[in-house]
Amino acid sequence: MSPFTRVRKIGHFNSGSIFRDRKWIKPFLASSFILITLFTSVGVLMFSSSFVWDPHQFDIASFTRSDTSGYFVESDLNRLSEISSVLKTEAPRFAYLISGTNGDGQRMMRTLQAVYHPRNQYILHLDLEALPREMLDLTMSVKNDPLFREIDNVYVMEKSNMVTYRGPTMIATTLQAIAILLKKSASWDWFINLSASDYPLMTQDDMLHVFSNMSRNLNFIEHTKIRGWKLNRRAKPIIVDPGLYLSKKSGIFWTTQRRSVPTSFKLFTGSAWAILSRSFVEYCIWGWNSLPRTILMYYTNFISSPEGYFHTVICNTEAYRHTAISHDLHYIAWDSPPKQHPKSLTIKDFDNMVNSSAPFARKFDKDDPVLDKIDKELLGRNNRFAPGSWCIGSSEGGVDPCSSVGDDSVFKPGPGSERLKVLIKKLLSREFREKQCKL
């Protein structure tokens, strides 16, 4: 019997309807081709047009196509390296991707406002499952915000992707967002991915102050080598992600075929949430020695690829292996063993969140009361934005002091920065760093 005679749809891990799947052969074979195309498109984004909503106008932003005659990747990499070396003397900047699905528009805006700082760059992605009206509302919220118009550092991805969390579509969307952020700004230092169910536990002033005293090459990505049951359950099965070619969301599909573990690189897994250096994500986009591209092709049909792609790339690359710190800088409360699903956090978890010293936590239910408690006690947020030294307006009469922007390179760290310093000191200790990318 052909290995593709049957496909099993995920409803639960060990259940689901069985299909006679000649109709799935072409989609399965096409999925690899489609992901390669997506990867190529990410690179093209560096020189192409119209992938974001411009907050200054409702129509699609138009980027000028670069003249690529006589263009060599090596020369551009040298230019980026020179820029990076200059920026190390300046205060750092973050580039955020905030993603959501149907019903998450307002939650995404709340998270955006809680992590907003004029030094940073932000891109929002509402996936294809969301209704057009919600996408329009999100775009107009960004467009009509006077501060976002003034600073011009918040974008909404125009082309929504269908994202299946356990499939490669989440990786494809993340790479696309990184490419747009690289195109929009040459000055940010770290990429941070958040979802609508994430929320900060300290201000951006706290984070930027602490990261000012750190190497810009560090990558905070929780990782471990795949072994045991994960090797059999994730590395050997082959899946198809319908999000690559369908316009309606559904779970991934399993084929009956299994494959051997690769021998040319080691497999790693970990949290899908990370803080990655600009240098490393540029390497993932450009892939100048082809390893990121090879690993991406492997993860096209891999279960839970968002929990393995960046981890496997960084731990198999000599230039970046030593920069990987095995922590995602999130507080997450897991379910009982096997600890595969994060629990929704409530006020009961507040003390544990604070004591973790992590700058972010997940996951939160929409408008849970603990978010108001975080706003009040950790962020000092009484208006739209979590305040920072950049907010120089008057607060008299209930006016938002962040409506007037001061020097964004001056920070006013609070208790959150002290907590984060303790955590970073632990993570950079010799004992902890000896565990990074351990085979």
Side-chain angles (χ1 to χ4, degrees), residues 150-164:
E150 176 186 351
I151 306 300
D152 190 23
N153 64 341
V154 181
Y155 319 102
V156 178
M157 288 176 67
E158 172 222 346
K159 288 192 174 182
S160 296
N161 301 312
M162 184 57 71
V163 176
T164 307

PDB file of all heavy atoms in Angstrom, residues 150-164:
ATOM      1  N   GLU A 150       2.276  60.106  14.027  1.00  0.00           N
ATOM      2  CA  GLU A 150       3.427  60.980  14.232  1.00  0.00           C
ATOM      3  C   GLU A 150       4.745  60.200  14.209  1.00  0.00           C
ATOM      4  O   GLU A 150       5.707  60.613  13.546  1.00  0.00           O
ATOM      5  CB  GLU A 150       3.295  61.715  15.576  1.00  0.00           C
ATOM      6  CG  GLU A 150       4.494  62.597  15.930  1.00  0.00           C
ATOM      7  CD  GLU A 150       4.392  63.179  17.325  1.00  0.00           C
ATOM      8  OE1 GLU A 150       3.323  63.041  17.964  1.00  0.00           O
ATOM      9  OE2 GLU A 150       5.394  63.768  17.783  1.00  0.00           O
ATOM     10  N   ILE A 151       4.799  59.086  14.908  1.00  0.00           N
ATOM     11  CA  ILE A 151       6.045  58.326  15.029  1.00  0.00           C
ATOM     12  C   ILE A 151       6.258  57.406  13.826  1.00  0.00           C
ATOM     13  O   ILE A 151       7.386  57.127  13.429  1.00  0.00           O
ATOM     14  CB  ILE A 151       6.064  57.508  16.337  1.00  0.00           C
ATOM     15  CG1 ILE A 151       5.789  58.421  17.543  1.00  0.00           C
ATOM     16  CG2 ILE A 151       7.399  56.787  16.507  1.00  0.00           C
ATOM     17  CD1 ILE A 151       6.792  59.536  17.723  1.00  0.00           C
ATOM     18  N   ASP A 152       5.165  56.913  13.252  1.00  0.00           N
ATOM     19  CA  ASP A 152       5.227  56.040  12.064  1.00  0.00           C
ATOM     20  C   ASP A 152       6.030  54.770  12.342  1.00  0.00           C
ATOM     21  O   ASP A 152       6.968  54.432  11.609  1.00  0.00           O
ATOM     22  CB  ASP A 152       5.825  56.807  10.877  1.00  0.00           C
ATOM     23  CG  ASP A 152       5.684  56.039   9.568  1.00  0.00           C
ATOM     24  OD1 ASP A 152       4.789  55.182   9.473  1.00  0.00           O
ATOM     25  OD2 ASP A 152       6.473  56.291   8.634  1.00  0.00           O
ATOM     26  N   ASN A 153       5.666  54.056  13.386  1.00  0.00           N
ATOM     27  CA  ASN A 153       6.384  52.818  13.707  1.00  0.00           C
ATOM     28  C   ASN A 153       5.453  51.642  13.977  1.00  0.00           C
ATOM     29  O   ASN A 153       5.881  50.626  14.544  1.00  0.00           O
ATOM     30  CB  ASN A 153       7.315  53.027  14.902  1.00  0.00           C
ATOM     31  CG  ASN A 153       6.562  53.356  16.189  1.00  0.00           C
ATOM     32  OD1 ASN A 153       5.389  53.766  16.155  1.00  0.00           O
ATOM     33  ND2 ASN A 153       7.224  53.199  17.319  1.00  0.00           N
ATOM     34  N   VAL A 154       4.179  51.758  13.590  1.00  0.00           N
ATOM     35  CA  VAL A 154       3.214  50.662  13.763  1.00  0.00           C
ATOM     36  C   VAL A 154       2.607  50.341  12.404  1.00  0.00           C
ATOM     37  O   VAL A 154       2.126  51.238  11.708  1.00  0.00           O
ATOM     38  CB  VAL A 154       2.096  51.026  14.757  1.00  0.00           C
ATOM     39  CG1 VAL A 154       1.128  49.853  14.926  1.00  0.00           C
ATOM     40  CG2 VAL A 154       2.687  51.418  16.107  1.00  0.00           C
ATOM     41  N   TYR A 155       2.628  49.058  12.042  1.00  0.00           N
ATOM     42  CA  TYR A 155       2.125  48.623  10.742  1.00  0.00           C
ATOM     43  C   TYR A 155       1.189  47.430  10.924  1.00  0.00           C
ATOM     44  O   TYR A 155       1.326  46.651  11.871  1.00  0.00           O
ATOM     45  CB  TYR A 155       3.280  48.222   9.819  1.00  0.00           C
ATOM     46  CG  TYR A 155       4.471  49.137   9.910  1.00  0.00           C
ATOM     47  CD1 TYR A 155       5.606  48.769  10.626  1.00  0.00           C
ATOM     48  CD2 TYR A 155       4.448  50.389   9.305  1.00  0.00           C
ATOM     49  CE1 TYR A 155       6.690  49.620  10.739  1.00  0.00           C
ATOM     50  CE2 TYR A 155       5.533  51.255   9.408  1.00  0.00           C
ATOM     51  CZ  TYR A 155       6.655  50.862  10.134  1.00  0.00           C
ATOM     52  OH  TYR A 155       7.719  51.712  10.242  1.00  0.00           O
ATOM     53  N   VAL A 156       0.262  47.304   9.994  1.00  0.00           N
ATOM     54  CA  VAL A 156      -0.627  46.142   9.958  1.00  0.00           C
ATOM     55  C   VAL A 156      -0.354  45.407   8.656  1.00  0.00           C
ATOM     56  O   VAL A 156      -0.373  46.016   7.582  1.00  0.00           O
ATOM     57  CB  VAL A 156      -2.109  46.557  10.027  1.00  0.00           C
ATOM     58  CG1 VAL A 156      -3.014  45.333   9.944  1.00  0.00           C
ATOM     59  CG2 VAL A 156      -2.381  47.326  11.319  1.00  0.00           C
ATOM     60  N   MET A 157      -0.083  44.114   8.752  1.00  0.00           N
ATOM     61  CA  MET A 157       0.178  43.344   7.544  1.00  0.00           C
ATOM     62  C   MET A 157      -1.081  43.294   6.693  1.00  0.00           C
ATOM     63  O   MET A 157      -2.134  42.858   7.149  1.00  0.00           O
ATOM     64  CB  MET A 157       0.651  41.930   7.896  1.00  0.00           C
ATOM     65  CG  MET A 157       2.058  41.897   8.454  1.00  0.00           C
ATOM     66  SD  MET A 157       2.612  40.259   8.994  1.00  0.00           S
ATOM     67  CE  MET A 157       2.699  39.404   7.426  1.00  0.00           C
ATOM     68  N   GLU A 158      -0.950  43.751   5.458  1.00  0.00           N
ATOM     69  CA  GLU A 158      -2.098  43.833   4.553  1.00  0.00           C
ATOM     70  C   GLU A 158      -2.604  42.457   4.157  1.00  0.00           C
ATOM     71  O   GLU A 158      -3.806  42.195   4.150  1.00  0.00           O
ATOM     72  CB  GLU A 158      -1.710  44.606   3.297  1.00  0.00           C
ATOM     73  CG  GLU A 158      -2.766  44.579   2.222  1.00  0.00           C
ATOM     74  CD  GLU A 158      -2.176  44.381   0.846  1.00  0.00           C
ATOM     75  OE1 GLU A 158      -0.960  44.532   0.678  1.00  0.00           O
ATOM     76  OE2 GLU A 158      -2.957  44.060  -0.061  1.00  0.00           O
ATOM     77  N   LYS A 159      -1.686  41.572   3.815  1.00  0.00           N
ATOM     78  CA  LYS A 159      -2.081  40.240   3.361  1.00  0.00           C
ATOM     79  C   LYS A 159      -2.088  39.281   4.539  1.00  0.00           C
ATOM     80  O   LYS A 159      -1.043  38.876   5.035  1.00  0.00           O
ATOM     81  CB  LYS A 159      -1.138  39.747   2.262  1.00  0.00           C
ATOM     82  CG  LYS A 159      -1.324  40.465   0.939  1.00  0.00           C
ATOM     83  CD  LYS A 159      -0.584  39.749  -0.178  1.00  0.00           C
ATOM     84  CE  LYS A 159      -0.895  40.387  -1.518  1.00  0.00           C
ATOM     85  NZ  LYS A 159      -0.229  39.685  -2.636  1.00  0.00           N
ATOM     86  N   SER A 160      -3.286  38.904   4.960  1.00  0.00           N
ATOM     87  CA  SER A 160      -3.402  37.968   6.068  1.00  0.00           C
ATOM     88  C   SER A 160      -3.085  36.553   5.590  1.00  0.00           C
ATOM     89  O   SER A 160      -3.447  36.165   4.478  1.00  0.00           O
ATOM     90  CB  SER A 160      -4.820  37.996   6.643  1.00  0.00           C
ATOM     91  OG  SER A 160      -5.111  39.257   7.195  1.00  0.00           O
ATOM     92  N   ASN A 161      -2.416  35.807   6.424  1.00  0.00           N
ATOM     93  CA  ASN A 161      -2.112  34.406   6.137  1.00  0.00           C
ATOM     94  C   ASN A 161      -3.024  33.518   6.970  1.00  0.00           C
ATOM     95  O   ASN A 161      -3.432  33.886   8.078  1.00  0.00           O
ATOM     96  CB  ASN A 161      -0.657  34.091   6.467  1.00  0.00           C
ATOM     97  CG  ASN A 161       0.318  34.944   5.680  1.00  0.00           C
ATOM     98  OD1 ASN A 161       0.184  35.080   4.476  1.00  0.00           O
ATOM     99  ND2 ASN A 161       1.281  35.538   6.374  1.00  0.00           N
ATOM    100  N   MET A 162      -3.334  32.341   6.453  1.00  0.00           N
ATOM    101  CA  MET A 162      -4.023  31.347   7.265  1.00  0.00           C
ATOM    102  C   MET A 162      -2.969  30.652   8.114  1.00  0.00           C
ATOM    103  O   MET A 162      -2.027  30.065   7.580  1.00  0.00           O
ATOM    104  CB  MET A 162      -4.756  30.336   6.375  1.00  0.00           C
ATOM    105  CG  MET A 162      -5.567  29.319   7.182  1.00  0.00           C
ATOM    106  SD  MET A 162      -6.779  30.091   8.287  1.00  0.00           S
ATOM    107  CE  MET A 162      -7.970  30.693   7.098  1.00  0.00           C
ATOM    108  N   VAL A 163      -3.102  30.733   9.414  1.00  0.00           N
ATOM    109  CA  VAL A 163      -2.074  30.228  10.314  1.00  0.00           C
ATOM    110  C   VAL A 163      -2.598  29.031  11.091  1.00  0.00           C
ATOM    111  O   VAL A 163      -3.620  29.114  11.771  1.00  0.00           O
ATOM    112  CB  VAL A 163      -1.605  31.322  11.293  1.00  0.00           C
ATOM    113  CG1 VAL A 163      -0.597  30.753  12.285  1.00  0.00           C
ATOM    114  CG2 VAL A 163      -0.993  32.493  10.536  1.00  0.00           C
ATOM    115  N   THR A 164      -1.901  27.921  10.958  1.00  0.00           N
ATOM    116  CA  THR A 164      -2.160  26.727  11.757  1.00  0.00           C
ATOM    117  C   THR A 164      -1.041  26.628  12.773  1.00  0.00           C
ATOM    118  O   THR A 164       0.129  26.474  12.386  1.00  0.00           O
ATOM    119  CB  THR A 164      -2.181  25.464  10.875  1.00  0.00           C
ATOM    120  OG1 THR A 164      -3.099  25.663   9.800  1.00  0.00           O
ATOM    121  CG2 THR A 164      -2.595  24.245  11.684  1.00  0.00           C
TER     122      THR A 164
END
